[in-house]
Amino acid sequence: MSLVFKRYYDMKPAEYLIQVRIAAAKQALQAGASVFDAAADSGYTNFSSFYAHFRKLSGMPPAKYRQLFAQNISRAVMDAPIGPLRILASQDAILCVEPANYLEKKTGQATDQVPADRIIPNDPSGDLVKACMRELKEYFAGQRQKFDLPLSPEGTNFQQKVWQQLQQIPYGETRSYQQLAEMTGDKNSSRAIGLANNCNPILILIPCHRVIGADGSLTGYAAGLAAKKLLLDLEKGGTKK
């Protein structure tokens, strides 16, 4: 039976079932379901397996897929001095600010299917995207040092804790990974701090660019080291006004 199935569908029954379940999960995420509900409703009892299968078949984590394709989320791409930025927002908060080509770089595969722009008319999510674009333009023009936007980055409890501490680093200042570890209450967590910093989904508004090496050297940044230097130089100039 299995051999006949494989000859007809060019895959094993188990592989076919995975594709059917992930397709169902994608539809649920597009309709606005949570990642957990999409996994359960598509027949998964093991979330790790769901995550692995989804990422393999779609090229991105389920949470990112939901952000990009959910019907109740607005998104837009704006030009910026560090390169085009993709902004995503729900009705309640900013979900993501990232380089527009970040998915291509991270997954190593084309993501032409990713919708670049969709502001939902007369919807709070669209208003938040527009407000974020306006405040970012003011920031790059040296006219804004703090952002007045609700943020909702998705991550683990530890990541959330690190991202909260990042927002305590003042404009125009920097902290080392060791200092950030001490701020979170665990001076031995520098390595984990670095990983959480690298996973920050809301660039600039959550200023992971203000974290540098203990020797003052620049370290990795999603938009590239040149972008990180530009942001730090911009802020240093802004504090002199």
Side-chain angles (χ1 to χ4, degrees):
M1 180 69 176
S2 178
L3 292 175
V4 174
F5 187 96
K6 189 176 189 305
R7 188 180 305 117
Y8 187 81
Y9 288 102
D10 195 30
M11 66 180 72
K12 297 178 181 179
E15 295 171 334
Y16 179 79
L17 180 59
I18 288 172
Q19 291 196 6
V20 170
R21 287 177 170 175
I22 295 302
K26 285 182 176 180
Q27 289 185 343
L29 293 172
Q30 290 174 22
S34 69
V35 173
F36 181 83
D37 287 343
D41 292 345
S42 59
Y44 278 89
T45 56
N46 186 311
F47 188 78
S48 295
S49 295
F50 171 71
Y51 185 94
H53 293 163
F54 195 101
R55 185 154 194 161
K56 181 179 180 180
L57 292 177
S58 67
M60 67 184 79
K64 172 58 68 176
Y65 185 91
R66 183 183 184 279
Q67 287 182 353
L68 289 168
F69 291 94
Q71 298 168 5
N72 61 342
I73 290 177
S74 287
R75 55 187 176 266
V77 171
M78 68 170 281
D79 290 327
I82 63 172
L85 295 172
R86 177 181 287 114
I87 302 167
L88 300 104
S90 66
Q91 294 185 338
D92 303 314
I94 300 297
L95 303 174
C96 181
V97 175
E98 66 181 5
N101 64 348
Y102 186 57
L103 284 175
E104 288 89 333
K105 289 183 177 180
K106 192 170 185 180
T107 63
Q109 57 183 286
T111 51
D112 294 337
Q113 78 277 14
V114 174
D117 207 330
R118 188 192 68 171
I119 299 292
I120 303 174
N122 303 316
D123 188 272
S125 65
D127 292 338
L128 279 172
V129 168
K130 293 175 184 177
C132 186
M133 294 173 69
R134 182 177 64 253
E135 292 196 10
L136 282 171
K137 288 178 181 178
E138 293 170 353
Y139 168 83
F140 283 116
Q143 300 169 350
R144 175 178 290 275
Q145 297 187 1
K146 294 183 179 180
F147 294 94
D148 301 316
L149 296 164
L151 309 180
S152 183
E154 184 165 338
T156 65
N157 290 337
F158 179 76
Q159 289 173 331
Q160 296 282 357
K161 185 177 181 180
V162 173
W163 298 337
Q164 289 172 6
Q165 291 301 324
L166 287 173
Q167 294 175 72
Q168 305 307 311
I169 304 175
Y171 179 96
E173 297 185 18
T174 58
R175 298 289 186 273
S176 69
Y177 289 100
Q178 181 61 46
Q179 289 175 314
L180 189 58
E182 292 171 357
M183 290 168 62
T184 60
D186 184 356
K187 63 181 181 180
N188 297 318
S189 63
S190 296
R191 187 176 182 84
I193 292 288
L195 293 173
N197 199 59
N198 186 55
C199 292
N200 172 27
I202 305 180
L203 299 187
I204 304 175
L205 282 69
I206 298 178
C208 57
H209 62 276
R210 295 176 191 161
V211 182
I212 59 176
D215 60 356
S217 62
L218 300 185
T219 53
Y221 189 59
L225 293 184
K228 185 169 186 173
K229 184 177 186 304
L230 186 152
L231 295 174
L232 293 176
D233 288 346
L234 169 69
E235 294 186 3
K236 287 179 182 177
T239 59
K240 296 177 182 178
K241 295 180 179 179

